[in-house]
Amino acid sequence: TAPEFANSWYFLGEGAMQEAARLSQEGKQTAASKEYGFAAKAWANYLEQYGPTHLQGVRQMEDGGKVEFETKSWLAGQAYQKGDRKSAYKLAKWVAKASPGDAQAWNNYAFFSREIGSDEESLEAYRKAAELSPDDPQILNDMALILHYNLKRDLQEAALLYARAIELA
């Protein structure tokens, strides 16, 4: 057995995803939603510990991991909707680091970093998202917000970012 599968979070995450899909097919959306929330927590804990090892296997998938990244991003949203910001953050962080050229992944990571109070980390992730998508008004606006409201510094840069976001929107 590969060492990454020794961690029970992997099996709990997979099992919860399967159960949620089954419940959803049966029309039991409330129960399915609860299972997806547990799957998000389990996957977040697994990826926090075994993310690099998991990524090696994901990279070998036929689609290069595209579906895996989309699924984990979706689970981050599920976790956030349930008030589990920490799991949303862990999932988004893994997806961004696993998808270094994906501006949306970095934007999500920045948002969830901000939501758990990691403002410096959030700013760096917004900077990476803006580097990848320099004309995205939402990214520029959000980067201005973190500087202006959260970090309360670099106000001239924030003003320029706001102005550019308005111009692009």
Side-chain angles (χ1 to χ4, degrees), residues 20-55:
R22 183 188 69 75
L23 290 165
S24 185
Q25 278 186 323
E26 292 177 2
K28 299 175 181 175
Q29 299 310 322
T30 302
S33 178
K34 186 176 180 179
E35 283 298 318
Y36 282 128
F38 184 74
K41 180 179 282 304
W43 271 110
N45 288 333
Y46 174 77
L47 291 170
E48 182 178 43
Q49 221 174 356
Y50 296 102
T53 303
H54 185 68
L55 182 59

Side-chain angles (χ1 to χ4, degrees), residues 114 119-120 122-123 126-127 140-163:
R114 183 179 75 199
D119 296 333
E120 291 292 342
S122 177
L123 177 61
Y126 278 128
R127 288 194 191 286
L140 298 175
N141 183 72
D142 290 349
M143 188 164 45
L145 283 171
I146 198 85
L147 284 168
H148 182 192
Y149 290 105
N150 296 63
L151 294 171
K152 297 176 181 21
R153 67 164 204 246
D154 302 323
L155 299 181
Q156 187 173 18
E157 179 185 1
L160 291 171
L161 288 166
Y162 282 132

Side-chain angles (χ1 to χ4, degrees), residues 3-116:
E4 68 272 17
F5 294 112
N7 188 302
S8 62
W9 287 117
Y10 174 89
F11 296 106
L12 291 169
E14 277 297 290
M17 286 295 288
Q18 290 171 13
E19 180 64 5
R22 183 188 69 75
L23 290 165
S24 185
Q25 278 186 323
E26 292 177 2
K28 299 175 181 175
Q29 299 310 322
T30 302
S33 178
K34 186 176 180 179
E35 283 298 318
Y36 282 128
F38 184 74
K41 180 179 282 304
W43 271 110
N45 288 333
Y46 174 77
L47 291 170
E48 182 178 43
Q49 221 174 356
Y50 296 102
T53 303
H54 185 68
L55 182 59
Q56 289 174 0
V58 167
R59 292 270 186 238
Q60 294 173 13
M61 293 176 174
E62 196 171 302
D63 69 351
K66 185 176 186 294
V67 171
E68 182 74 1
F69 302 143
E70 289 170 358
T71 301
K72 298 310 184 267
S73 291
W74 182 80
L75 279 176
Q78 293 296 300
Y80 183 76
Q81 287 176 11
K82 299 210 169 312
D84 185 357
R85 289 178 166 83
K86 191 70 171 172
S87 292
Y89 159 80
K90 290 177 188 179
L91 288 162
K93 180 178 182 176
W94 182 81
V95 172
K97 300 226 179 215
S99 311
D102 184 342
Q104 188 57 49
W106 284 94
N107 188 54
N108 290 342
Y109 172 37
F111 173 79
F112 291 128
S113 295
R114 183 179 75 199
E115 287 298 298
I116 64 162

